[in-house]
Every structure is written in C-alpha cells, then in structure tokens.
Amino acid sequence: MSDVDAAGFDAERESKLLGVLAASRRLFRQLSVEAVASVAVDEARQIFGLELVAVRLLDDGALAPISYTAGVVDVFGGDPPAYPRDDSVVWTAFETGETQVVADTTQIDALRGLPVGSGVVVPLGDQGVFTAFSRERAGFSETDVRLLELLALAVAEALWRVKRDEQLVAAETRLELAVDGTGTGIWEWDLVENELVVHRSAATVFGYDPPSDKTYLTVTEHLEDLLERIHPADVNPVVERIANALETGTVGGGIEFRAWTGQEWRWLLARGQLEHGSDGDPVVMRGVVSDITDLQTVETELRRTSARLEAILEAVTDVVIIYDADGTIRFVSESVTSVLGYEPEELIGTKGGRYIHPDDVSSVLDVVEKARASKTRERIRYRMLAADGTWRFVESIGNGEPIAVGGGYATSTRDVTQQVRHERALETLQTRTSDLMQAETVEDAAHEAVAIASEAFGLPLTAVWRYDADSDTLIPIAETPQVRSVIGPAPVFDRSRGVVWDAFDSGTVQVHPNLRSNPDVYDPETAIETEVIAPLGDFGVLITAATETNTFSERDKALVEILATTVTAAIQNTRRKRELTEARRLLERSNEDLQQFAYIASHDLKEPLRTVSSYLSLLESSYDIEAALGSDAVEFVSYATEAAERMQEMVTALLQYSRVETHANVDSTVELDEALELAMLNLTVRIEEAGASVTTDDLPTVVGDLRLLVQLFQNLLDNAIKYNDSETPTVSISATIDDGRCEVTVADNGVGIEESMRERAFDVFERLDGRVGDGGTGIGLTLCRRIVERHGGDIRLDDAAGGGTAVKFSLPLAEVSS
Amino acid sequence: MTPPVQERPTAMRADSTGDSRPFVVLHVEDNPADVELVKQVVGRSDRNLSVTAVSCASDALAYLRGDLDLGTADRPDFVLLDLNLPDSDGYELLEQIRSMPASRSLPVIVLSGSESQTDIQRAYELHANAYLIKPMHYPELQSVLERTFDFWAHAAALPNRHGV
C-alpha cells in the first residue's frame, strides 16, 4: 500500500530533520574553520548517508576543498583540486547564492569522467559552497535538498562566527605590532606583590631582554631595584612622583627620566595611574612608557599608531568598546550607532555596567573576572540596553589581557537578538516536536503548530488550512487568536486565491513580501501585507502573515519551512496512528471472529456433518444396501462416508488451529523430550501399524506451551510416517543450540517435497501428496507453523539426507538448559 | 408443596412388575433429523421405550405442566434436552424445568453437539443429570442412549411421578 511507503519515508525525513537540528548546535561550538568544515562533512555523511560530501571555501580566487569524505578522495584518485572561477554549477551556486541541483553531473567539466551521477551544490553565504554528490543519477529528493540547505545555513553561520573571532584576534595582533614599532609599551606594577608586568616592546626600556615567546614579561621587582636603574639625577623626581601618587591616589601627567638599558641611558616618558583595592589602598600602578630619546620619531609613530588603531576599529562592524579596569568606557567604535542607537560620545566616560541587564550582571562579571585572571579571551551572551530603551541580546568577546596601548580591555560586541530568537526557536521546535508528534488528531497537530509559531517563533499571525478534496478548497482548522483579531475568522480558500494554491500545488514555500502591491492576489480590504505560505504535503498549507511589508527574514522563512516540515510529519504521524488503531481494531475483531469461528467449527459446522455421518452409518448398519440398491450404491455410500470423515478431521484441525491463538500459554518451561514422548504415546498405534522407527537425540528445555508442542511433534511425526513409502519409515529428531535458541530437526526418509513446493506446503488446506498415503486434512503444516510462530520461532522445510524431508523449527531456550 | 414420595422403587417398574407401561422419553429438539435419529433408536431398541418430541422450549414447558396434549397419556419419565432451541436456549429451559415442582426431580439429560467445557460445566451447574455429546455415528448413538435409558429406567431410584 502506498500509505505505508509514505509513512516510512516521512519517518526518515523526521529523523533527518532532527539530525540537522542537532548538527547545527554542534557546528556552533566549533572554534576553527577547519573544525566547522569537518563537522559539516561528517554530519552530512551521517544524516543523509552520503559518501561524497565536501566543503569548499573561497581562497585566493578559487573554491578550495577544506574538508571532504574519503569517498571524494576515491573519486578524484587523490585530494580534490581547488576550482578556479568558471561557469560550472559550483561557481554558479556560489555567485548566485542559490542552490544548484544537478540530476546529471556530466555537464560539470571538472567532474566529467568521474563516477558520479548527480549532485547538489548549496552556497555557504559569501564564504564558499557545500557540495554533495551521489553515484546515481537523480540521487537527491527535494526533501534532502531542503534539509541540506538548512544544514548549509548552520554551516555558514558557524563559519561566520569563527571568522569574526579570527578577525578580532587579527586586529589585536596588528595593534601589538603597531605598538612594537613605537618602542612604547605598557607596564603594570603590582605594589603588593612587587611584581612588574611589562609588554615585551617595553622590556628593553626597563633593561630586560624582550621575551620571544610571550607578549608580557613578568618579573619580581622592588622599587629599590627599579630605582637603581634610573639615572641618579632623575631618581628624586621619580620617587617624589611615586610617593605623591601613592599619597594622593593620582599620578598626574607624564614624567620624563633617564634609565639604564644595560648598554646606554635612554630618555623615557612614563604615564600611568593607580588602582585601589577595596580598602582604598593603592594596589596596582599601571601605565604606558615610551622611549623618547628620539622624541620626534616617537611622536610621529604614536600619531600613526593611533590612526591605525582607529582604522582597524572602524573596519570591524561589531561594536568595539574599550573598558578601563573599573568598567569605565574609554572608547566606543562608531558602529555603536547602527547597532545600539547611541552616539559614541554618550557612552564614553560612563560605566559599562549600567547597560547590562540586571539579571545578567553577575554572569558578565564572572566571565570578566575569569578572562582577566587567565588572561584569555572569553565570549558571553547577555542583554544590553539600547538607546531606545529596549533590551537587545548581544554577544561580546573580551580579552582578559589588557590592550597594549594605554591599558584597558577591548571587547567586541554584536547584536545577536535575531540569532538568539532563531536558536531559541530551533530549541523550542525541538522540544515541542515531541509534543507535536504525540498529537492524536490532525486538529491537535495544527493547533500545536500555530501555538509554536506564535509562542516560540514570534510569528503571531499563523494559521493552518486543510485541503478538502471534495470541494477543492482549503479549509481553516487552526489559527492564533491574533489572526482572528486582525482579519476575523480565517477564510476558506477556493481556487481564485492563486498565491495559496501555488504553494499547495507546487509543494514549495512561497513568500509574498508585498501583497498590497499586487491587488489581484489579495483582498485590498485586508490588513495583511506579507505572507509566507508553506505547503503541508498533500494535507494543506500553513500560512504566516504580517501587517507590514517585507517583514520576514530568511531566518523566519527557514523557521516556517522547518515548522511546516515538522507539522507535515506530525500529521502523517496521526494518520499512521489512526491506521494503526484501525489495524489494531481490525485485528481485535479478527481475533473475535476467530473465536466465533472456533465455536462455529465446533458446533454449527459439526452439527450438519454429524447428521450426515449419522444417517450414512444408519444406512450402512440397518440396510443391506447392495441388495436394495445394487453394488454401485455400496461404493457411493463409502465415498460419502469417507468425505464426511475427512471433513470432520478438517473441522477438528481448524478448531485446533484457532485455539493456538486463543488457548495457549507459551511462557511455561517445557522439556522437549517430554513433549516428544507424549506425542509418540498418542501415535503408538500409528507407529506400530506403519512399522516405523523413531530415533531421537537428547532435546533441550524450551519456553512454550506443552500442549501445543505435543501437537507440533504429533503432526510432524504423523506427516513423516504418512507421506512415506519406505519399507521401514524412519524419523529422526535432533536439536542444535545457538544463542539462546534451539533448532529442532525432524527428518524422515519419506517422499520428500520439491523445493518449489515447500512454501506452499504451509498454506491452509494445501495438500501436496495426491499419490501416497491416506490423505490428510492439509492443515497439519499450517498448524505447525502457527504453533512455532506463536512461540516466536520460525519453521522451514529442507532436504533430509537420503531424500526425505527435514522439517526445521526454532524455539526459545529456557534459562536453564538441560 | 413437595409431592409425596412413594416407597416403591421405580427401577422395578417396567419389567419385573410386568407393567407394560413404557419408559417415556421427552425429546426436546428442533432439528427433525435428530428427532428422527432418536426415534430410530427407540424404535429399534428391544427396551420398552416411547419417545415424545417437542421442537421448542415453550411446548416442552406446556407439556410438562400438562397444558399441552400431545396425544400421549403418560407423563414423561425422562427428558432428553438439546441446548440449541429456536425460542430459548436449552439452559433457560433447564432452569425452568428445575423451578417447576412437577418436574423438579425429573431426570434431564443434555444431548448436545458441543464439546465446549463451558457448555458442559454450565449444564451441570443448572442441575442437568448428565451431559452426553452427540456421537458422530448412528451405532454409537444407539448404544449410548440405550445405556442411559437402562440406567434411569432400571438402576436409578426415582420419586414416583404418577402419584401426583
């Protein structure tokens, strides 16, 4: 049935969707481009079962392979080449930003002659492409393509994040290089520990060898040692200045002095400030020191450094904020205006903490503390106050190592409100997917869908329509309360509403950014301006609308698409469930029918049969049939009698057959030896009459129903003797044990069953003999199969050594094997 | 209301007393083929038996109450009951027979095609005197019915039904 296929397919799509959602989270945790590419390839391979997957990124004008599966290496016979710019589909995808699906890859020059049949190329934003190929032609379903696009969206996002981090590192490195060139360095002197931390560019200034492997040099220095390297003529002014600073808490302007570098005296200019502990005592003095021996040069360099710094900061689209150690904002990049709405001057000099959401302050402080303690870069997400009074989700990366020029801590901050909404939406979707999948009815699924759209995705104007084939209309079955308040009850769509049908008929999502500009497609009275229409398979459509033009981002569209995919799966799930319930109901009814049948077989069917037999025997016992009716009549009566006997056996066998299900307890422990012994006892006369020989091995103990297993052996022994024209019918019974199960073989030297007939032998009332024996009910093997299957085993026919039949059946072993 | 019980053992009634009154069987059965089979058994038997057949429960009750004249003078000594009847199931009839004083102690033998344990048990719970499964062949029917009649006509001591 096609429904079963459809159901199977949907379960696959459902699991792929969940796989992609999980992959997105894994991708976002990666810290390098290579790691992102590798995870992307790995996930695509696992989720879609693809062996030919690669991530190519733009590098030096070519799309260079960054990560790829082993299958790709096989195809190329080595590492795949970078693709220089050409007009192939790979570059087309990259340049147009649109997924390219190629049903036949021979049109791609670079792949001509390679053993691939079809492919999909999905752009990764402006960074590269994601390629997936299959050895078969047309190897990608539309669903796979859509899910690959979803995965690519996450890959592009993850790559973007990593690159942003790298950009910040690069900016810091450039700052440091700039500082290096000036002979200017920052220093920090811990007054409590007598520990001096100097930037390596300033090491020589203080007379130390600059470390080659570290940015900062940390030495233990007492003031006296430090003073020893200061020119005797300059010691007093320096000591005075320090004493004054410690006393007043302010350092004041810069101080010039000569210091011994180990080789020569150099003129230095030091600026600095004091930091006080919680008890108000100064604990740290830090500042900038410049070698001003050649003052002219230094001033020039400083100006240039400053200009370069500004340039770097402005190049970064994120908001760069430099905080003092106490959190005072010292510098804010221009980009703050577009991101948070402030003018940089409004913020400079204010405390950074006042823009952090009260609930986030402590976690931000924790991270700042951690970054500064470990001198590492840390990332944190929190809410920041925008100029319009709203709270925006932002993500900041801060360096715990003070910035080289003038101290302070640089942070890069970005508005992630959209992204947070997107991620939360995905998370919510994932948690609520299970609710959705639990939906019992289509209506429940539809209501849950609009609730998710409204509550989780922030898409309040959402409704679901069901396709009604009889009227060829789309009928609303769920809508948010907001839909009702904006447009009243959701309308029934007939065929005149083209935009909706386009989506439903084509099975693709339709976005209409400005409905009012096209009065043909929509009622001009409505308040709706924008719509995303997502088809729900053959079930109906889900529409999300807005009252402003062009309000839906790519992300919103992607979310609606994911939601639609999930809802479709859920709806098909409810159909599957309903089918299952129906099947169960039918099964229950068929069980009842079976019991009813048992009664019919035992009574209603037997009743007339008994009458026939009774009267035939009355005739035979009371009349001389031959004398009264002639010799033919004797034969006729005996045919009728035989037929009645056979029918009675069949009725009895059918009754046994139906009782396998209704009257069995297959959980007992049964010694097969005992079952066989009882079966042979029941067949004593038959075995003796046929002169048969039955041999048996030790048989194991199994889990089952003794009565049924006796019946099983009895039927098999009976068959083995009945369908046997040997002088001495021989039956041997043996068993092998494997992995908690045993396989029993009942082999005979009888007439055998041709291989092509073996499956038919198990059909009800199928008799294959026709030449040997006294016939049978034709239900014996069917009954055997039913008994074995009732025990969870299987039964088959095989050749016996010597030409007869071997019946092999398996049964579950009991815990303690005999 | 209990009918007076006479001391005379009925077992001696039919033959040893030379009484020519036969042992009267009431056969409650709707299937004419089965009715005929039992008639054949009675007709072919060398015992002094007679059988009266009714085809539904209401006739059986009316006859036992004396409200239905079937042209036989004698009251039945014995009921042979099929469980499948058109107007009631045999169990109901069995219950009614046991609730009427006139037939409370009358031997009732169920003769049924059903081998079902539930049917057998229920019949005995409703105080059937025996449950016979209809045999497949006539000779067996003949033999089982004759042995049953012999038992109830000669071996079992029954209250006198004719003194009521």
Side-chain angles (χ1 to χ4, degrees):
Chain A
M1 227 167 82
S2 65
D3 282 353
V4 174
D5 292 341
F9 173 72
D10 288 328
E12 190 188 323
R13 173 165 68 177
E14 195 181 307
S15 90
K16 284 178 182 175
L17 173 65
L18 291 178
V20 169
L21 293 178
S24 312
R25 285 200 304 276
R26 202 179 145 207
L27 283 164
F28 293 158
R29 287 198 302 269
Q30 303 309 312
L31 297 172
S32 73
V33 169
E34 289 72 21
V36 170
S38 158
V39 167
V41 166
D42 192 43
E43 291 284 356
R45 190 176 55 76
Q46 289 187 28
I47 297 167
F48 298 95
L50 293 165
E51 19 157 4
L52 305 175
V53 186
V55 169
R56 290 175 170 273
L57 296 182
L58 187 65
D59 182 29
D60 204 13
L63 286 168
I66 304 299
S67 184
Y68 36 87
T69 52
V72 171
V73 178
D74 288 346
V75 164
F76 282 98
D79 290 336
Y83 293 147
R85 194 184 180 294
D86 58 14
D87 53 4
S88 71
V89 282
V90 177
W91 271 89
T92 308
F94 180 64
E95 292 191 327
T96 60
E98 277 170 21
T99 302
Q100 304 291 312
V101 180
V102 191
D104 180 357
T105 50
T106 50
Q107 60 171 286
I108 303 177
D109 285 345
L111 294 174
R112 195 161 291 148
L114 295 176
V116 293
S118 56
V120 178
V121 184
V122 193
L124 298 171
D126 56 358
Q127 306 174 77
V129 290
F130 186 83
T131 64
F133 289 95
S134 162
R135 292 184 194 271
E136 284 100 49
R137 292 194 181 175
F140 294 89
S141 69
E142 199 179 316
T143 309
D144 279 351
V145 173
R146 279 165 65 186
L147 289 171
L148 278 170
E149 282 177 328
L150 188 61
L151 181 63
L153 203 68
V155 174
E157 171 77 28
L159 285 172
W160 190 87
R161 287 186 183 200
V162 167
K163 288 212 162 164
R164 191 171 64 105
D165 285 6
E166 286 177 350
Q167 212 176 11
L168 191 73
V169 171
E172 288 186 347
T173 310
R174 274 179 291 178
L175 267 177
E176 284 176 0
L177 285 175
V179 169
D180 272 353
T182 64
T184 302
I186 70 132
W187 54 273
E188 182 180 280
W189 186 28
D190 187 322
L191 301 167
V192 181
E193 303 291 334
N194 281 320
E195 198 176 68
L196 179 71
V197 180
V198 216
H199 189 270
R200 72 167 170 246
S201 61
T204 48
V205 174
F206 284 96
Y208 307 112
D209 291 332
S212 56
D213 55 340
K214 292 188 295 201
T215 310
Y216 288 88
L217 173 72
T218 306
V219 289
T220 305
E221 279 285 17
H222 292 272
L223 183 60
E224 304 83 71
D225 302 330
L226 212 54
L227 290 177
E228 269 181 20
R229 286 206 291 282
I230 292 176
H231 196 279
D234 300 329
V235 168
N236 278 345
V238 171
V239 170
E240 255 175 50
R241 181 62 73 86
I242 292 171
N244 187 45
L246 292 175
E247 205 169 295
T248 63
T250 55
V251 178
I255 179 166
E256 296 173 14
F257 56 94
R258 278 155 295 178
W260 182 248
T261 65
Q263 283 139 6
E264 56 178 335
W265 292 105
R266 303 288 292 179
W267 273 102
L268 304 179
L269 168 65
R271 297 188 185 87
Q273 64 188 68
L274 275 171
E275 192 170 302
H276 302 272
S278 53
D279 56 359
D281 286 344
V283 287
V284 172
M285 190 183 288
R286 62 162 69 87
V288 187
V289 58
S290 310
D291 186 330
I292 53 166
T293 312
D294 186 348
L295 186 62
Q296 195 62 37
T297 317
V298 171
E299 283 188 342
T300 310
E301 283 297 329
L302 263 179
R303 265 200 302 280
R304 198 184 296 163
T305 302
S306 187
R308 280 162 78 181
L309 175 61
E310 291 289 325
I312 289 164
L313 296 182
E314 256 133 55
V316 180
T317 53
D318 295 342
V319 183
V320 173
I321 302 175
I322 297 176
Y323 295 96
D324 280 338
D326 66 355
T328 306
I329 296 174
R330 185 196 295 170
F331 173 87
V332 186
S333 65
E334 293 288 338
S335 50
V336 74
T337 312
S338 62
V339 176
L340 291 170
Y342 298 106
E343 292 301 324
E345 300 75 45
E346 287 179 66
L347 300 182
I348 290 171
T350 61
K351 291 277 187 186
R354 78 152 79 147
Y355 307 102
I356 299 171
H357 192 283
D359 294 346
D360 296 337
V361 166
S362 70
S363 58
V364 171
L365 286 179
D366 285 349
V367 171
V368 167
E369 197 174 311
K370 181 183 165 208
R372 290 190 186 177
S374 59
K375 295 200 176 5
T376 52
R377 294 187 316 128
E378 297 291 336
R379 168 152 53 192
I380 184 168
R381 193 174 271 189
Y382 56 99
R383 281 157 293 179
M384 208 166 172
L385 186 64
D388 63 6
T390 60
W391 291 103
R392 312 302 305 264
F393 276 97
V394 297
E395 195 175 87
S396 289
I397 298 176
N399 197 338
E401 209 161 13
I403 208 163
V405 179
Y409 298 90
T411 63
S412 167
T413 299
R414 174 190 174 205
D415 186 332
V416 291
T417 308
Q418 277 291 96
Q419 191 183 320
V420 167
R421 194 159 77 88
H422 180 65
E423 282 171 17
R424 291 203 174 163
L426 282 183
E427 266 168 39
T428 313
L429 179 64
Q430 188 151 26
T431 52
R432 289 183 75 162
T433 294
S434 59
D435 293 346
L436 202 51
M437 288 296 166
Q438 298 301 312
E440 291 291 332
T441 65
V442 170
E443 283 71 22
D444 287 352
H447 283 116
E448 180 67 18
V450 300
I452 291 174
S454 169
E455 293 158 21
F457 295 176
L459 303 169
L461 296 180
T462 301
V464 171
W465 280 259
R466 175 178 66 78
Y467 176 65
D468 181 57
D470 293 338
S471 59
D472 196 31
T473 55
L474 288 158
I475 298 169
I477 57 167
E479 63 198 10
T480 57
Q482 292 92 328
V483 168
R484 199 164 270 277
S485 63
V486 172
I487 62 164
V492 172
F493 293 140
D494 60 23
R495 283 278 170 184
S496 66
R497 297 292 298 280
V499 281
V500 177
W501 293 96
D502 285 350
F504 179 69
D505 293 337
S506 69
T508 55
V509 176
Q510 306 282 313
V511 183
H512 296 278
N514 193 346
L515 287 166
R516 206 166 290 192
S517 69
N518 185 357
D520 290 343
V521 298
Y522 223 87
D523 178 3
E525 300 292 306
T526 182
I528 302 297
E529 287 280 7
T530 314
E531 270 184 0
V532 178
I533 306 164
L536 303 173
D538 61 357
F539 167 78
V541 293
L542 179 146
I543 302 182
T544 283
T547 53
E548 297 120 51
T549 51
N550 210 5
T551 42
F552 293 115
S553 65
E554 276 301 305
R555 280 185 179 144
D556 289 334
K557 189 188 154 198
L559 284 176
V560 172
E561 214 165 337
I562 296 168
L563 180 61
T565 307
T566 315
V567 174
T568 309
I571 286 171
Q572 261 138 9
N573 208 26
T574 65
R575 286 184 184 171
R576 238 178 299 160
K577 261 190 220 161
R578 211 172 43 229
E579 281 165 12
L580 205 66
T581 313
E582 178 64 13
R584 200 171 289 140
R585 202 182 59 77
L586 283 175
L587 191 68
E588 272 162 22
R589 210 178 65 190
S590 106
N591 273 337
E592 281 164 23
D593 286 351
L594 202 64
Q595 287 172 30
Q596 183 67 17
F597 169 76
Y599 183 75
I600 290 167
S602 74
H603 191 270
D604 292 7
L605 211 56
K606 262 176 131 176
E607 234 5 82
L609 183 61
R610 194 182 42 72
T611 306
V612 171
S613 295
S614 298
Y615 277 95
L616 282 171
S617 52
L618 181 57
L619 275 179
E620 281 181 314
S621 65
S622 316
Y623 299 93
D624 184 345
I625 296 171
E626 189 170 359
L629 299 167
S631 60
D632 278 358
V634 176
E635 202 181 335
F636 298 165
V637 170
S638 79
Y639 286 153
T641 306
E642 265 173 41
E645 297 291 333
R646 271 182 41 72
M647 188 168 165
Q648 201 219 321
E649 279 173 31
M650 283 157 105
V651 167
T652 308
L654 273 176
L655 188 57
Q656 284 179 340
Y657 183 77
S658 67
R659 280 183 177 162
V660 171
E661 212 51 54
T662 53
H663 292 78
N665 171 24
V666 293
D667 303 329
S668 317
T669 302
V670 178
E671 285 175 30
L672 280 183
D673 287 324
E674 187 194 347
L676 178 62
E677 204 173 302
L678 288 169
M680 285 171 66
L681 200 66
N682 291 344
L683 291 171
T684 310
V685 177
R686 182 152 183 77
I687 292 170
E688 271 173 18
E689 275 175 2
S693 142
V694 180
T695 59
T696 170
D697 288 355
D698 277 346
L699 299 179
T701 302
V702 299
V703 182
D705 180 295
L706 177 64
R707 189 180 58 84
L708 291 181
L709 293 174
V710 169
Q711 214 167 60
L712 174 65
F713 276 122
Q714 200 171 318
N715 271 289
L716 293 177
L717 286 171
D718 191 52
N719 278 348
I721 296 167
K722 187 187 291 172
Y723 303 108
N724 202 317
D725 47 8
S726 308
E727 191 110 327
T728 307
T730 310
V731 190
S732 68
I733 296 130
S734 57
T736 56
I737 288 175
D738 182 33
D739 196 22
R741 305 190 67 77
C742 71
E743 185 173 77
V744 180
T745 304
V746 179
D748 62 48
N749 59 348
V751 296
I753 300 176
E754 269 178 53
E755 199 164 341
S756 58
M757 308 291 276
R758 283 176 190 163
E759 200 44 40
R760 273 184 59 199
F762 290 103
D763 291 345
V764 179
F765 293 135
E766 189 66 54
R767 291 175 62 219
L768 306 174
D769 58 307
R771 49 193 179 107
V772 185
D774 58 354
T777 59
I779 205 170
L781 276 178
T782 318
L783 180 62
C784 290
R785 166 172 279 186
R786 200 172 168 90
I787 290 173
V788 171
E789 285 177 352
R790 183 75 175 82
H791 286 78
D794 49 60
I795 185 169
R796 64 200 162 86
L797 297 178
D798 206 345
D799 292 319
T805 305
V807 184
K808 298 183 176 213
F809 60 88
S810 61
L811 292 171
L813 280 177
E815 293 275 309
V816 185
S817 171
S818 61
Chain B
M1 292 297 288
T2 313
V5 178
Q6 295 220 342
E7 290 307 309
R8 183 172 68 93
T10 51
M12 304 307 292
R13 186 197 60 225
D15 294 322
S16 60
T17 58
D19 187 350
S20 66
R21 199 186 70 79
F23 185 71
V24 179
V25 176
L26 172 63
H27 188 199
V28 189
E29 170 65 78
D30 66 320
N31 179 0
D34 283 344
V35 171
E36 183 56 37
L37 278 179
V38 172
K39 269 194 188 149
Q40 288 290 330
V41 170
V42 169
R44 282 154 195 274
S45 176
D46 52 3
R47 278 73 163 174
N48 184 15
L49 296 166
S50 89
V51 62
T52 303
V54 291
S55 62
C56 63
S58 47
D59 282 0
L61 288 171
Y63 176 63
L64 286 171
R65 272 195 222 102
D67 297 341
L68 181 69
D69 182 7
L70 291 174
T72 47
D74 297 314
R75 311 299 309 277
D77 296 294
F78 183 92
V79 179
L80 200 54
L81 175 64
D82 182 32
L83 291 175
N84 248 358
L85 295 172
D87 58 342
S88 127
D89 71 26
Y91 304 111
E92 265 175 56
L93 178 58
L94 183 53
E95 251 183 315
Q96 282 162 319
I97 290 173
R98 285 289 173 256
S99 68
M100 298 195 315
S103 57
R104 182 175 291 151
S105 53
L106 194 62
V108 178
I109 308 298
V110 173
L111 181 62
S112 165
S114 169
E115 294 175 36
S116 148
Q117 278 303 315
T118 8
D119 286 348
I120 295 169
Q121 187 158 350
R122 192 157 165 220
Y124 282 107
E125 277 165 7
L126 294 174
H127 308 293
N129 293 75
Y131 188 106
L132 302 180
I133 294 164
K134 294 177 180 172
M136 288 305 288
H137 300 106
Y138 177 80
E140 293 156 37
L141 182 70
Q142 174 105 34
S143 129
V144 78
L145 283 185
E146 283 184 340
R147 275 183 284 139
T148 308
F149 296 148
D150 283 350
F151 175 78
W152 290 105
H154 306 298
L158 293 172
N160 185 355
R161 314 222 47 77
H162 305 283
V164 177

